Amino acid sequence: VSAVAGLEAAGVSVVGAIQGGIPAPRLPQSGLFEAMWPAAAGIALISFTESIAAARAFVRNTDPPLDANRELLALGAANAAGAFIGSMPAGGGTSQTAVNRNAGAQTQAAALVVAATAFATLLFLAPVLALMPHATLAAVVIAYSIGLVNPAEMVAIRRVRNMEFRWALVACLGVMMLGTLKGIVVAIVLSLAGLMYLAYDPRVSELRRKPGTNVFRPRSPEHPQDEAIPGLLIARTEDRLYFGNAANVGAKLRALTQAAAPQVVLLDCSAIPGFEYTALKMLIEGEEKQREQGRELWLAALNPEALELVRRTPLAERLGRERMFFNLEQAVAAFQARQAAQ
């Protein structure tokens, strides 16, 4: 129809000339590295992200579990091999996968059919495909990709977690306003910034005991009956401590200490996977300040990595077995026994 009606002459945008022939092997040009590496890095990031997104969106219950490392290795190997024949960057795509699935593709044989079709195009079909309007290609993509739009999933995300809903919304708007590549880059950057913020400002909670039990949970208005043990402040921070968040955690602990004015500050370390050196140094200095103010610092429920790091510092010798405990219950029982003895 495009050829008979002369759509290109009428101003309709068509695919245009496709360079045919068999690709000739050639060595990659090292001189292009400096000019191309920023764009190549962006393509690699987006290709891997979209490939994994497509795999997770279309995986079936009967398929083997996804392995992101193997996917990345496969993409890297494909692109490294393609560099010797001047191929397009290889990667998975959601719209292409949707077309494949709706066409009945079930196995990797579909990729062989696509490769054979692409080879035939290079040899025979390039003049025919050159006449195809871009709008026709767009219609194919839209028709098969519209099923990927799932408003109910967006509503479910918002119901569970507002932050991730905002990331998803920015990704959608970014793709519509900036294009696929730039839109996904914006979403990835925003997601990484959000994760960095969560790591930068971890939660620090005061724990209290549920009446009649040995269960400790964060203090909250929903549980006003939870018991505070006189003279003991139990605090818990939730994340790995490193130089970026140590100051924030220290400030929150100081605020809790000033409000409670305890004899002992018991730090529940069960949610701390480990300490970075700067954070561990601040913990040592914090213990010294507590002693100067007439208070003691106790540690409980240290994870193996955190415990090993603490043992490499003077803090372990300073605390000893009297102020380092296997769990909260032991620490609270030791505090109450000491209070009773006094």
Side-chain angles (χ1 to χ4, degrees):
V1 171
S2 176
V4 172
L7 295 183
E8 184 177 11
V12 175
S13 175
V14 297
V15 172
I18 299 175
Q19 182 179 354
I22 299 176
R26 64 179 66 180
L27 292 176
Q29 301 178 35
S30 58
L32 296 176
F33 177 80
E34 184 176 353
M36 296 184 67
W37 77 262
I43 291 173
L45 176 62
I46 299 304
S47 176
F48 176 60
T49 303
E50 188 177 9
S51 298
I52 292 299
R56 290 175 176 169
F58 291 97
V59 68
R60 299 168 299 187
N61 293 333
T62 55
D63 290 335
L66 291 175
D67 186 340
N69 289 329
R70 291 187 66 184
E71 298 291 332
L72 181 60
L73 179 62
L75 290 175
N79 283 291
F84 291 92
I85 56 172
S87 72
M88 297 287 287
T94 50
S95 57
Q96 300 96 317
T97 307
V99 173
N100 246 10
R101 182 183 67 175
N102 287 301
Q106 296 290 329
T107 68
Q108 292 91 336
L112 300 178
V113 173
V114 172
T117 304
F119 188 68
T121 300
L122 292 175
L123 296 181
F124 314 113
L125 303 179
V128 179
L129 292 181
L131 299 170
M132 184 178 291
H134 280 127
T136 303
L137 297 178
V140 171
V141 172
I142 292 172
Y144 283 106
S145 299
I146 195 69
L148 298 177
V149 180
N150 190 347
E153 187 73 13
M154 296 285 285
V155 173
I157 293 173
R158 188 184 181 193
R159 188 182 301 117
V160 174
R161 200 158 184 254
N162 274 330
M163 178 177 288
E164 292 185 28
F165 171 75
R166 289 194 290 268
W167 295 346
L169 197 60
V170 168
C172 291
L173 295 176
V175 169
M176 288 189 289
M177 298 174 63
L178 304 175
T180 304
L181 180 60
K182 294 180 180 178
I184 294 180
V185 167
V186 169
I188 291 174
V189 171
L190 182 64
S191 300
L192 292 176
L195 293 174
M196 289 176 64
Y197 174 76
L198 292 176
Y200 174 75
D201 192 31
R203 175 183 297 180
V204 178
S205 307
E206 177 187 354
L207 302 185
R208 293 195 172 183
R209 183 164 55 189
K210 182 178 179 181
T213 71
N214 219 16
V215 175
F216 296 87
R217 57 189 177 187
R219 179 183 181 183
S220 67
E222 289 79 13
H223 306 289
Q225 73 280 6
D226 286 355
E227 302 168 348
I229 300 173
L232 178 66
L233 169 65
I234 307 176
R236 180 176 67 199
T237 181
E238 302 172 7
D239 209 342
R240 182 179 297 273
L241 296 186
Y242 69 107
F243 69 93
N245 63 16
N248 285 337
V249 171
K252 293 179 180 180
L253 286 173
R254 283 193 296 272
L256 291 176
T257 302
Q258 291 173 1
Q263 301 173 17
V264 171
V265 177
L266 173 58
L267 185 60
D268 176 13
C269 302
S270 59
I272 303 176
F275 297 98
E276 185 261 347
Y277 174 76
T278 305
L280 192 56
K281 184 178 179 181
M282 292 185 66
L283 180 64
I284 296 171
E285 294 172 352
E287 191 276 336
E288 294 175 354
K289 292 180 180 178
Q290 296 289 348
R291 278 192 290 113
E292 293 172 358
Q293 297 172 5
R295 287 190 289 267
E296 295 181 5
L297 175 67
W298 292 9
L299 302 180
L302 282 161
N303 286 297
E305 178 185 340
L307 177 60
E308 180 61 27
L309 293 171
V310 169
R311 283 175 173 170
R312 297 176 186 177
T313 69
L315 182 62
E317 184 177 352
R318 194 176 300 160
L319 297 179
R321 295 184 178 180
E322 295 78 15
R323 291 194 282 164
M324 293 176 62
F325 300 91
F326 183 73
N327 53 40
L328 277 182
E329 292 81 358
Q330 287 184 353
V332 171
F335 176 80
Q336 291 177 327
R338 191 176 76 170
Q339 293 293 93
Q342 290 177 349

